[in-house]
Amino acid sequence: MASNSSLEIDGDMEVEAFRRLFPLRYYEHYLGQSVRPDARPLAHARETTIALGPVTSVDGSALVKIGETTMLAAIKLEVMTPAADLPDKGCLAVDFYMPPVCTPTVRPGRPAEAAPVISKQLSDVILSSGMINFEELSLISGKAAWMAYLDIYCLNADGSLFDAALLSAVAAFSHLKVPLVSVNDNGRVTTVTGELLESKSELELVNKERRKLSFKSLPFSLTCLLHGKYILADPTAEEEDIMDTLVTVVVDSLGRLVSLYKAGGVVLANTSTVKDCIALAKQRAAELHNILVESISEMEVD
């Protein structure tokens, strides 16, 4: 680990005091050595974990940690009447929440400014990536389909919020199992619980078994922080506060570019920097896909 004692400081000023007073100079000392103060290489993301199924009262859920950034995603399916122009497709509604407990910057009674922005980005990415075949959410053409409510709660906000939120959404959908539904004499479609299934053996089931959705590819993202000639992958909240040029690249599990977001900072005139960010995002996507596959395998074994 990089030693704070290597930082040249005039007089007897303590390193932590110097870090608080001159944070950019503090970080630039380490950037020259291609590491961060905790010795993490600039191109490396933080340790990432995925836990599937932490919430048993919903149809799919996941708890994701990227470093200290923590997201809980939960999906609830409800029967709805499909739109007249889309009779064979279900729908998706995404909400992202940042309660005051996740960061001191969110005050009680005041909604976080980032929350609606991340909600919109998540919805756009899930739809544009083609991750979900909404025809799989159809039950009866023109009469019944699934509305998927995806709620993501930020439990700890320590940078790269979109990356962790998207990963939790993808993991929750990977864990999702579509419930059984039945049609009554009046043509009403209702969800079948375990108790109802045991008590009425002659239910007319629309779907014969609980099933998972199929995915052609899955979207993953990597946020990069740009400072001069340096690219910092997966920045922490402290790094984001100090250096304000953020680029978030979304690629799918097949290595295709889905989208690129830039928030704040300078105009990206250097195409080589963009290419470097995309290359890092592709490496990260492959890494996250492997972590997700391992998490699914472990859950199936259990």
Side-chain angles (χ1 to χ4, degrees), residues 99-294:
V101 68
C102 75
T103 173
T105 61
V106 177
R107 297 181 180 181
R110 295 185 180 180
E113 294 181 3
V117 176
I118 294 177
S119 293
K120 180 66 166 55
Q121 289 179 342
L122 287 169
S123 182
D124 289 346
V125 165
I126 293 173
L127 294 176
S128 64
S129 68
M131 166 185 160
I132 300 173
N133 178 3
F134 285 95
E135 291 183 357
E136 289 191 355
L137 296 179
S138 177
L139 291 167
I140 301 174
S141 180
K143 294 183 178 181
W146 290 114
M147 166 65 83
Y149 292 96
L150 169 62
D151 293 324
I152 301 176
Y153 299 87
C154 180
L155 305 182
N156 192 357
D158 188 25
S160 300
L161 301 188
F162 180 81
D163 299 348
L166 179 59
L167 181 57
S168 71
V170 170
F173 271 109
S174 299
H175 173 255
L176 174 72
K177 280 191 175 182
V178 178
L180 297 174
V181 293
S182 66
V183 181
N184 62 19
D185 295 337
N186 297 322
R188 183 180 179 184
V189 179
T190 57
T191 304
V192 179
T193 63
E195 294 179 357
L196 185 60
L197 188 61
E198 292 176 2
S199 62
K200 295 183 179 180
S201 58
E202 297 184 357
L203 284 172
E204 183 181 345
L205 296 177
V206 175
N207 48 350
K208 302 302 180 183
E209 61 180 0
R210 296 194 67 188
R211 60 178 175 82
K212 289 193 171 185
L213 299 178
S214 59
F215 306 106
K216 292 182 179 179
S217 64
L218 299 171
F220 301 98
S221 67
L222 176 68
T223 295
C224 295
L225 186 58
L226 310 183
H227 183 70
K229 64 179 182 180
Y230 302 106
I231 300 176
L232 289 74
D234 178 30
T236 63
E238 181 182 32
E239 291 169 343
E240 290 181 354
D241 288 341
I242 297 170
M243 297 166 274
D244 62 357
T245 303
L246 286 173
V247 175
T248 298
V249 181
V250 183
V251 297
D252 65 19
S253 49
L254 299 178
R256 299 174 299 191
L257 179 65
V258 176
S259 61
L260 187 149
Y261 297 97
K262 176 186 170 295
V266 299
V267 176
L268 294 178
N270 191 338
T271 56
S272 64
T273 299
V274 176
K275 290 180 179 178
D276 289 343
C277 291
I278 293 174
L280 288 174
K282 289 183 178 181
Q283 295 174 12
R284 178 60 169 164
E287 176 187 346
L288 293 176
H289 187 256
N290 289 336
I291 294 173
L292 178 59
V293 170
E294 291 176 3

